[in-house]
Amino acid sequence: MDSKGRVNLFYRYILMMASVFVLIGIIVLPLVEEEELFFVLIALIIGFFVLIVLIYHMFENYVRPIRSSINVANELVKGNYNARTYVKPQGEAQQLSNAINVLARNLQEMSIQEKMQGSQWKTVLNNMESGLMLIDERGYVHLINRKFLQMFDKKSTDYIGFLYYEVLTDETIHKVVQETFLYEEKITGSITTSINGETHYIEVVGAPVINDLKDLKGAVLVFHDISDLKRVEEMRKDFVANVSHELKTPITSIRGFSETLLEDENADVEIQRQFLTIILKESTRLQSLVHDLLELSKIEKAEMQLSTKLIEVNDWLQSSLTLIEEQVSKKSLHFYKAIDPDISFYGDPDRLQQVVLNLMYNAINYTPEEGSIYLRIYETEDNIIIEVEDTGMGIPEEAKQRIFERFYRVDRARSRNTGGTGLGLAIVKHILEAHQASINVTSEVGNGSCFTVKIPKKW
Ligand SMILES: Nc1ncnc2c1ncn2[C@@H]1O[C@H](COP(=O)(O)OP(=O)(O)O)[C@@H](O)[C@H]1O
Ligand SMILES: [Mg+2]
């Protein structure tokens, strides 16, 4: 009730009291003797005013606080937890008002906490790395999170309130839901979906939702994107297949030639020599293959365990240069080097030596006789640059990125003839990554290639 209504009520009571007193006056006054009339009148008037004061007091201490409490209670019912009633410092109604205010305050706190919890849940659900869907016991979709929508590229209105089999087309998901309901246990399945034109592998896990009374209340479906895992698995399978294939060729040929030698005891000495040479060459290839594989797995495992030292370029390259010059002279190539002798930098000397050797051996192997090979080492403000250039056969544009993959060769037969394993550049790339260094290749088929290594001075 507003204050106007309250005032009206107060005046109505006054009016009622005044009427009662007037009535009493009308009844009593004629019975009173004339000399007592004055006193009775005064008594009546005093009585009237005392009653007004009493009524006013009652209003202030009881009616008003109770009305205010009723108002606040009504506001609370409506959900307005900010409402508070006025508390008079004394009086009987004070306890009521206090209680109402405490109630309002508690309700307000509870509603704030509820809101906070609600938004926390929402945040957690929407920032999960897995998609999520909640289905009730009748199969209606109640909740989905943001990741789920990303996975299936739709809006939440496409799902909420629908039966799961109306909105999810994949049979595997239907089976997962049905079995989750049937067996009341965790069921797993996997599906594929296309996200931005890319195929993704999704693992679907259905878990039953069971309440305290052990009644089945629905199911939660969780969707994990396992594409990366799949990719790693594929790569591992490919790798094993490649390794087996690479090993098979030399083993077959070693076995074949040794069998022939054993069978034909009277073979010509020259032929025997020829076969034994092949066997030696193939076993050397086998050896370098195993060596490179071991090397690669060592680098991959202990990527960060480089034994970093200060490398003085001149000393560091001496032994490698001897090896390189030996190979160069065997093939009558021209070798030019421009190495800044004062350079020093931090890195793993043995591993980086391997980088230079692998690049130089490639240059030697893929450059025909009388060609030229260049080795340049210099420094810029931030980097040490190692350049290996040749005037060889070059690398086709489409192969430039792939040559760093394991076992990739532009020309398989040629690489094999030179004793290549197809792992040299993969090893180079790994070593450089561990040094946070980069490698670039420019090349023109028929004209030559240039590999540029950039090692940061600070890393
Ligand atoms: N300097 C180069 N000139 C031409 N082709 C090259 C050069 N370096 C590498 N390649 C190509 O890259 C492939 C991969 O090199 P690498 O990993 O060292 O393996 P491998 O030399 O054992 O074949 C080689 O097979 C070759 O086709
Ligand atoms: Mg090589």
Side-chain angles (χ1 to χ4, degrees), residues 285 292 358-367 388-396 399-400 402-412 414-416 418-428 441 443 448-451:
R285 240 167 66 69
D292 278 3
N358 283 5
L359 292 175
M360 286 303 292
Y361 283 153
N362 278 351
I364 294 167
N365 284 337
Y366 302 108
T367 303
V388 176
E389 196 179 337
D390 63 55
T391 57
M393 54 197 286
I395 303 160
K400 272 189 197 158
R402 299 208 59 194
I403 52 174
F404 295 97
E405 289 173 17
R406 297 157 177 173
F407 298 119
Y408 182 87
R409 289 114 150 181
V410 178
D411 182 344
R412 201 160 272 267
R414 192 191 179 94
S415 157
R416 225 173 248 145
T418 60
T421 58
L423 294 172
L425 288 181
I427 292 174
V428 164
V441 53
S443 180
S449 319
C450 181
F451 287 81

Side-chain angles (χ1 to χ4, degrees), residues 141-266:
V141 178
H142 281 256
L143 189 140
I144 41 178
N145 70 349
R146 197 185 300 156
K147 184 73 189 179
F148 176 89
L149 294 174
Q150 273 170 14
M151 280 180 177
F152 293 93
D153 198 17
K154 289 208 174 150
K155 298 191 295 286
S156 68
T157 44
D158 294 333
Y159 292 99
I160 303 285
F162 289 98
L163 284 164
Y164 74 88
Y165 49 80
E166 286 175 350
V167 285
L168 295 168
T169 47
D170 202 294
E171 287 287 333
T172 313
I173 305 180
H174 297 181
K175 223 174 116 206
V176 167
V177 178
Q178 282 155 12
E179 287 182 6
T180 307
F181 279 130
L182 190 64
Y183 303 121
E184 298 194 7
E185 59 181 42
K186 205 173 88 181
I187 304 289
T188 316
S190 65
I191 59 166
T192 54
T193 159
S194 169
I195 304 176
N196 301 330
E198 248 181 67
T199 305
H200 280 242
Y201 295 87
I202 312 266
E203 184 191 47
V204 188
V205 183
V209 177
I210 294 168
N211 70 4
D212 293 343
L213 302 169
K214 303 242 179 312
D215 295 327
L216 184 66
K217 281 291 165 202
V220 179
L221 297 183
V222 182
F223 300 77
H224 304 292
D225 193 334
I226 52 165
S227 308
D228 287 343
L229 277 176
K230 276 261 178 202
R231 222 164 281 138
V232 171
E233 200 183 296
E234 290 296 319
M235 262 166 65
R236 195 183 54 80
K237 277 188 198 155
D238 279 356
F239 183 65
V240 172
N242 276 330
V243 170
S244 316
H245 180 79
E246 294 292 332
L247 292 173
K248 214 174 96 193
T249 329
I251 288 172
T252 314
S253 113
I254 289 171
R255 189 183 161 159
F257 283 108
S258 42
E259 267 174 3
T260 323
L261 277 179
L262 281 174
E263 274 164 19
D264 190 2
E265 284 170 15
N266 307 318

Side-chain angles (χ1 to χ4, degrees), residues 38-56:
F38 175 72
F39 296 106
V40 171
L41 208 59
I42 292 292
L44 273 177
I45 288 169
I46 288 173
F48 177 66
F49 279 109
V50 166
L51 260 171
I52 285 176
V53 170
L54 271 177
I55 287 171
Y56 177 76

Side-chain angles (χ1 to χ4, degrees), residues 8-21:
N8 278 345
L9 192 71
F10 179 67
Y11 285 128
R12 246 187 288 148
Y13 275 110
I14 303 252
L15 213 67
M16 252 160 61
M17 288 317 298
S19 319
V20 170
F21 269 86

Side-chain angles (χ1 to χ4, degrees), residues 51-210:
L51 260 171
I52 285 176
V53 170
L54 271 177
I55 287 171
Y56 177 76
H57 184 76
M58 220 175 69
F59 255 83
E60 272 302 301
N61 287 319
Y62 296 96
V63 179
R64 216 176 105 183
I66 287 172
R67 292 216 174 265
S68 161
S69 299
I70 291 170
N71 284 345
V72 171
N74 281 333
E75 286 298 307
L76 293 181
V77 168
K78 281 190 232 155
N80 173 15
Y81 303 132
N82 292 325
R84 296 286 183 277
T85 173
Y86 163 74
V87 185
K88 258 183 94 83
Q90 75 262 1
E92 291 295 315
Q94 178 204 4
Q95 279 177 20
L96 175 68
S97 304
N98 264 337
I100 291 270
N101 279 349
V102 170
L103 180 69
R105 215 170 294 128
N106 287 348
L107 279 172
Q108 190 175 30
E109 236 159 62
M110 265 162 63
S111 105
I112 288 171
Q113 262 175 15
E114 198 185 333
K115 266 189 209 146
M116 256 166 55
Q117 267 177 9
S119 76
Q120 274 168 1
W121 271 113
K122 237 187 203 155
T123 313
V124 170
L125 284 180
N126 280 331
N127 288 293
M128 269 172 69
E129 260 312 296
S130 304
L132 192 116
M133 174 181 264
L134 179 68
I135 300 171
D136 70 11
E137 71 270 34
R138 291 168 306 152
Y140 285 97
V141 178
H142 281 256
L143 189 140
I144 41 178
N145 70 349
R146 197 185 300 156
K147 184 73 189 179
F148 176 89
L149 294 174
Q150 273 170 14
M151 280 180 177
F152 293 93
D153 198 17
K154 289 208 174 150
K155 298 191 295 286
S156 68
T157 44
D158 294 333
Y159 292 99
I160 303 285
F162 289 98
L163 284 164
Y164 74 88
Y165 49 80
E166 286 175 350
V167 285
L168 295 168
T169 47
D170 202 294
E171 287 287 333
T172 313
I173 305 180
H174 297 181
K175 223 174 116 206
V176 167
V177 178
Q178 282 155 12
E179 287 182 6
T180 307
F181 279 130
L182 190 64
Y183 303 121
E184 298 194 7
E185 59 181 42
K186 205 173 88 181
I187 304 289
T188 316
S190 65
I191 59 166
T192 54
T193 159
S194 169
I195 304 176
N196 301 330
E198 248 181 67
T199 305
H200 280 242
Y201 295 87
I202 312 266
E203 184 191 47
V204 188
V205 183
V209 177
I210 294 168

